[in-house]
Amino acid sequence: MSPGDSAPSTGAEGAPSLLRLGALLGAVPDRWVARWHQRHPDIRLQLDYFEETGQLERIRSGAVDIGYLRVRADEGPVVNTEVFHRVWLYREDAVVCAAAEHWIAAAEDAVTWEDVAEETFLDPAEVAAWSPPSDTRATERQSMEVVASGAGLLVLPRSVARALARKDVVIRGLEDHPGFDVGLCWLRERDDEVIQEFIGVTRGRRAESTRSTMDNAGDRPRGQGRGATAGARRRRESPRDSGLRAATGDVRAEAGRRRDPGRRGNPGRRGNPDVGAELMPWDRCR
């Protein structure tokens, strides 16, 4: 990347005209990208894939504006929150990969950590050190080739293992493993309304949400601003509908007050829209 690419591109008004997203193997942000293009066609979203190693440095150097981050769930703090913002999106299950003739192949669905604790495990970073691949993003692929040879086992996030699936390698769930937390990370000094809008897209925020500070007119019918839909609905209501609304309004308001205001997301749900995982509550560092 040339030095000129290290700073975000801006339009005539000084607002960014390009948002660069650094993705990781196994991540599938296609729906986010499509939604962004629909809402903000004037700000191009550039999607590039990288290996996991060095992701924070890419964000720090400006090679990407916002990037995926995937860490083992029990690793503890891995992000300097004085430098970076981050938000966790979901937790992904771990799997173990083994050569097709390994005894693990006899397991129907999963094995426990106790079952495989004495086995030899491969570290993708160490495998790359033996024979660095020409494409730095091929580290995990190279590791799977070593697994296929029977030299050892490899623990990976489920989405990565699926992306690298081979006929000579079996993939089984790994019980008693904490899994991997997946989120997005960006520089505090780079935080702006464009990045916050993208975070809103990943969290399922609607285009008409009052939390958005950007003009999402491209995602609304012509002539409608924020709140216009609700206003039009009220104008179309019959007197009977209005009476029902008045009769039930207090009950709905009371139900809303009883909800837990701190609960965001659905951490108990399995099945992330992109890769299949446990959704995480909102957790932006301050």
Side-chain angles (χ1 to χ4, degrees), residues 246-269:
T248 60
D250 291 343
V251 176
R252 290 175 180 171
E254 179 61 27
R257 285 192 291 269
R258 287 198 298 267
R259 294 193 189 107
D260 179 4
R263 183 179 179 183
R264 297 177 184 260
N266 186 4
R269 172 186 168 192

Side-chain angles (χ1 to χ4, degrees), residues 113-179:
W113 179 254
E114 184 178 359
D115 292 335
V116 299
E118 301 301 321
E119 296 285 336
T120 300
F121 287 88
L122 302 173
D123 183 340
E126 294 181 0
V127 172
W130 301 341
S131 178
S134 56
D135 180 0
T136 57
R137 286 167 287 179
T139 301
E140 291 90 350
R141 293 183 177 87
Q142 187 182 54
S143 298
M144 287 291 269
E145 292 180 4
V146 178
V147 169
S149 72
L153 307 181
L154 185 63
V155 175
L156 291 173
R158 187 179 295 277
S159 64
V160 176
R162 285 177 176 173
L164 301 176
R166 311 166 43 115
K167 293 182 179 179
D168 51 1
V169 172
V170 295
I171 301 171
R172 297 292 184 266
L174 183 57
E175 298 177 358
D176 305 324
H177 188 285

